[in-house]
Amino acid sequence: MPTSDTNATGPTTPTTPTTSDDVRRVDVTVDGVAMVQLLGPQDRLLRAVEKQYPEVRVLVRGNEVTLEGPAAAVGRAEGLVAELVSMVRGGHDLGPAEVVTSARLLDSGQGSPSEVFGQPIVTSRGKGVRAKTPGQKEYVDAIDQHTITFGIGPAGTGKTYLAMAKAVQALQRREVQRIILTRPAVEAGERLGFLPGTLTDKIDPYLRPLYDALNEMMDPEIVPKLLAAGTVEVAPLAYMRGRTLNDAFVVLDEAQNTTPEQMKMFLTRLGFGSRMVVTGDVTQVDLPTGASGLQLVTTVLDGIDDIHFARLTSDDVVRHTLVGRIVDAYTTYDAERQAQQHRRHEAAHDQAESGNRAERRADARDRLPKRGTR
């Protein structure tokens, strides 16, 4: 198990590797980084490196990391360690998820993780919020470049969190005068009945995720003041009707639970100097009946200038790695179920066509003149 608690200064210096047939050993001297930041609590980051390249043996003594194993795997592991050191120097808060994503980026040739992750969007309590996958980076860039951006993808891909971060950033930079956060008040399969309390008490449970994200990105003592002043507004989607939203950064969350009429109503609230971000997961529609406005809008507004559809996948999930596998499993299940339904539909259609042909032949025989008749 790799262990270290040494601090050092200077560049990362790999020593001359030694090779024996297909076995390679590389000693990397890590300078300029506190080793506890590179190793992580209980050396979990180094264990994540070992998990990515199980054929590579990783040893740590002081500020020196030794990699030994098959030459090709050691080369990849060395590149990953170098990137992790570069990100720690750049102020990135690393976790096992960042190690996995970085290894995937390097192995697929998608670029340097330190460049993909980029600078933090906002920083709160010493932690920066930033894109952590190429898909998230494209999504964040699209928000900067378009007036309306749709973030569509499964749970855990950071759709809402990154949109909230961009909203806070825009407010801090005085690019907008206010933030408006909204979502439809739709029960997720349950029947909650009549909730007690005032109207605010009744709708707060639906909007709680937005409040939580807001408190993570801003000083919790400032948030109530901004809410009271109207600089930040959190409201159900129904409250948007009849309004024109000028000089605002507007985020619509859980948009898969909007009806087509609600989606049209919301998008037409756009005013001068405003930007909109619409997020949702089309695989988790909780509407009791009818079509999802988010599903329809991808067809209606496709190709319109200044509107962008960012589609995130399980590769962009930044929660527990198991979440990505869960998303893939459900995607496979849904695809198989749709294929089965299609096959049943085709079989029923073929059976109906066969019956129709038999009926037409019978009708044709009935219309033939009988023998002995004139």
Side-chain angles (χ1 to χ4, degrees):
M1 181 182 299
T3 59
S4 176
D5 58 0
T6 303
N7 295 349
T9 59
T12 303
T13 308
T15 63
T16 303
T18 60
T19 60
S20 174
D21 296 330
D22 291 332
V23 177
R24 184 183 184 205
R25 172 175 170 157
V26 175
D27 296 322
V28 181
T29 302
V30 180
D31 292 333
V33 170
M35 289 299 289
V36 68
Q37 291 181 279
L38 179 63
L39 301 176
Q42 291 82 46
D43 299 332
R44 63 179 184 177
L45 298 186
L46 263 295
R47 285 206 299 271
V49 174
E50 289 182 316
K51 189 174 181 180
Q52 287 301 304
Y53 304 106
E55 64 272 40
V56 177
R57 186 183 179 198
V58 183
L59 297 173
V60 178
R61 287 188 178 89
N63 67 330
E64 188 171 86
V65 179
T66 300
L67 307 171
E68 185 175 4
V74 166
R76 294 197 299 272
E78 182 184 5
L80 176 59
V81 171
E83 283 292 337
L84 295 178
V85 172
S86 177
M87 285 190 286
V88 170
R89 285 198 187 112
H92 289 252
D93 299 312
L94 298 183
E98 283 73 27
V99 174
V100 173
T101 303
S102 298
R104 187 169 65 234
L105 288 174
L106 292 171
D107 291 343
S108 62
Q110 292 180 273
S112 167
S114 57
E115 294 178 1
V116 170
F117 294 162
Q119 296 298 315
I121 302 169
V122 294
T123 301
S124 177
R125 305 177 195 177
K127 293 185 178 181
V129 178
R130 69 186 84 214
K132 295 184 178 181
T133 70
Q136 289 188 351
K137 179 74 163 53
E138 178 189 347
Y139 173 49
V140 169
D141 290 344
I143 293 174
D144 287 330
Q145 297 163 8
H146 299 85
T147 300
I148 300 178
T149 304
F150 290 84
I152 303 173
T157 51
K159 306 180 299 294
T160 303
Y161 202 70
L162 291 173
M164 297 276 285
K166 293 300 293 182
V168 172
Q169 181 192 60
L171 184 66
Q172 291 175 343
R173 292 179 175 178
R174 301 185 183 278
E175 296 172 358
V176 297
Q177 295 181 4
R178 55 182 173 157
I179 296 174
I180 298 175
L181 311 172
T182 183
R183 57 170 15 192
V186 176
E187 296 158 337
E190 303 91 348
R191 289 295 175 267
L192 302 181
F194 292 99
L195 295 173
T198 64
L199 179 60
T200 301
D201 295 332
K202 294 176 189 295
I203 63 177
D204 266 0
Y206 298 102
L207 305 174
R208 178 51 50 189
L210 300 179
Y211 285 110
D212 291 343
L214 198 61
N215 284 318
E216 286 186 28
M217 296 178 192
M218 304 181 76
D219 188 339
E221 295 180 358
I222 297 177
V223 172
K225 298 177 182 177
L226 296 177
L227 290 168
T231 304
V232 176
E233 178 182 349
V234 183
L237 180 60
Y239 286 21
M240 297 298 107
R241 186 173 296 279
R243 301 177 63 181
T244 300
L245 308 176
N246 294 317
D247 298 314
F249 196 113
V250 192
V251 178
L252 170 59
D253 188 34
E254 296 291 330
Q256 75 274 7
N257 289 329
T258 62
T259 64
E261 295 77 16
Q262 286 176 320
M263 179 63 74
K264 178 182 176 182
M265 178 274 292
F266 172 76
L267 294 175
T268 54
R269 301 306 96 199
L270 180 67
F272 294 106
S274 291
R275 273 184 282 169
M276 285 183 168
V277 180
V278 180
T279 70
D281 178 2
V282 292
T283 67
Q284 296 195 37
V285 178
D286 299 315
L287 293 172
T289 58
S292 165
L294 183 60
Q295 290 174 325
L296 179 63
V297 79
T298 58
T299 301
V300 174
L301 301 185
D302 186 37
I304 295 181
D305 289 340
D306 211 18
I307 294 179
H308 181 81
F309 291 91
R311 290 178 169 83
L312 303 169
T313 68
S314 60
D315 289 338
D316 301 304
V317 171
V318 292
R319 292 180 184 170
H320 194 289
T321 53
L322 190 58
V323 175
R325 296 198 291 272
I326 291 172
V327 169
D328 285 338
Y330 270 99
T331 301
T332 301
Y333 170 77
D334 290 339
E336 292 175 350
R337 187 175 62 175
Q338 290 177 1
Q340 291 174 355
Q341 291 175 345
H342 179 72
R343 287 194 294 269
R344 286 196 295 267
H345 176 75
E346 289 293 320
H349 180 267
D350 291 343
Q351 185 176 4
E353 283 294 314
S354 176
N356 290 337
R357 287 195 294 270
E359 185 177 346
R360 286 195 295 270
R361 286 196 295 269
D363 290 342
R365 286 196 300 270
D366 290 342
R367 288 195 294 271
L368 291 174
K370 299 289 192 282
R371 288 186 178 181
T373 63
R374 294 182 179 178

